[in-house]
Each structure stands twice: as C-alpha cells, then as structure tokens.
Amino acid sequence: MNHDPADLAAMDRALALAAEAGKAGEVPVGAVVTDAAGQIIGEGRNLRELTHDPLAHAEVVAMREGAASLSSWNLGGCTLVVTLEPCLMCAGALLQARVSRLVFGAWDDKAGAAGSMYDVVRDRRLPYRAEVVAGVRGDAASALLHTFFETRR
C-alpha cells in the first residue's frame, strides 16, 4: 500500500523516538502530532518507567506537547502518528483532544483500541471519531517491539 509521504516522514520520527525509549528501558513506542500542514508540533515516547507515571504513554506525551504548541487542548485538524496501535486510554485521549487522524504502525492484538481488539476511535456511538490509517512502517515498528521483549525473556 502506498502511504502519504508526510505520514511516512512523521512515522520515521516516531520510530526514532521509539528506539530512544527502548534504549532507556521503556517499551519502544514513539509518537508525534502533526498540524494540518504536516509540521510536527508535538513529540513523545513512552516515559512510564522514568516518570513513574502510568499515563506517560507516548501518545499522551505527544498530545500534551502538541496542545502546548497550539495553546489549546483542541487538536482538531491534527494527526497523531504512533508506532503502535493505541490502547483504550490513548484512544479515548485522542478522541477527547479531537485529533482528526490517527496513523499507526504495528497492530496491538492484546490491547489495541483502533481496530484490533476494540475500535473506539471509529465507534459510531461516540460523538467524535477519527480517520484511521494503519500499518505505516508496521514491520519496523513490530521489529522494535519484538527485539525489546526478546531481550527481556
């Protein structure tokens, strides 16, 4: 499948952030928020171990930085690009932030909430939904996670 060049570039940055997280002992997940023009306005990587914060998932960190960049909680018109399909918490957070698009790499068959286990992001019962683009650089994102967990078994 041909993906948008802006999505690929943003995913490359998210993958670099994920690699940084893995080197720091965090689960290697990285995320960026881009504005409507495709410019990165927020970045994040998993920081739960470092900060002892259960909410410090890459997506939340990136959305907080993006919101600060815009001086607004409302990320309408923005895209969240993340290396791993968001969990329920992150899916709910991106909907609350009114993120317009979600682009992710690897599927999360154990906890994913954007099409695998759940599809919260596109649930018609909710007042807000986001467009979902899955599988962008999915092999690279999966490889980072596989290598990380193999070294811990």
Side-chain angles (χ1 to χ4, degrees):
M1 176 178 200
N2 290 332
H3 294 290
D4 182 285
D7 291 344
L8 293 170
M11 183 60 76
D12 288 342
R13 179 61 187 145
L15 285 164
L17 291 163
E20 289 175 19
K23 288 177 186 166
E26 302 275 357
V27 175
V29 178
V32 299
V33 175
T34 61
D35 64 14
Q39 297 300 308
I40 293 175
I41 59 168
E43 295 187 343
R45 63 178 179 85
N46 276 355
L47 295 172
R48 292 188 317 166
E49 300 297 332
L50 178 68
T51 63
H52 311 291
D53 179 358
L55 305 180
H57 289 206
E59 300 95 324
V60 172
V61 174
M63 286 188 288
R64 284 178 174 159
E65 192 172 291
S69 294
L70 295 177
S71 298
S72 174
W73 63 268
N74 190 328
L75 298 177
C78 293
T79 298
L80 174 64
V81 179
V82 60
T83 58
L84 180 65
E85 179 186 5
C87 68
L88 278 168
M89 178 185 72
C90 294
L94 77 88
L95 292 175
Q96 289 297 314
R98 304 294 190 261
V99 170
S100 297
R101 291 178 72 238
L102 167 66
V103 175
F104 69 86
W107 290 95
D108 185 349
D109 295 332
K110 294 179 182 173
S116 60
M117 284 209 51
Y118 308 99
D119 199 354
V120 173
V121 177
R122 294 178 287 200
D123 192 321
R124 293 265 175 228
R125 296 169 294 181
L126 297 173
Y128 188 80
R129 287 167 292 288
E131 176 189 344
V132 176
V133 179
V136 178
R137 303 256 199 265
D139 290 343
S142 292
L144 277 173
L145 290 159
H146 179 76
T147 301
F148 177 82
F149 286 112
E150 277 295 312
T151 62
R152 278 149 183 79
R153 289 191 182 120

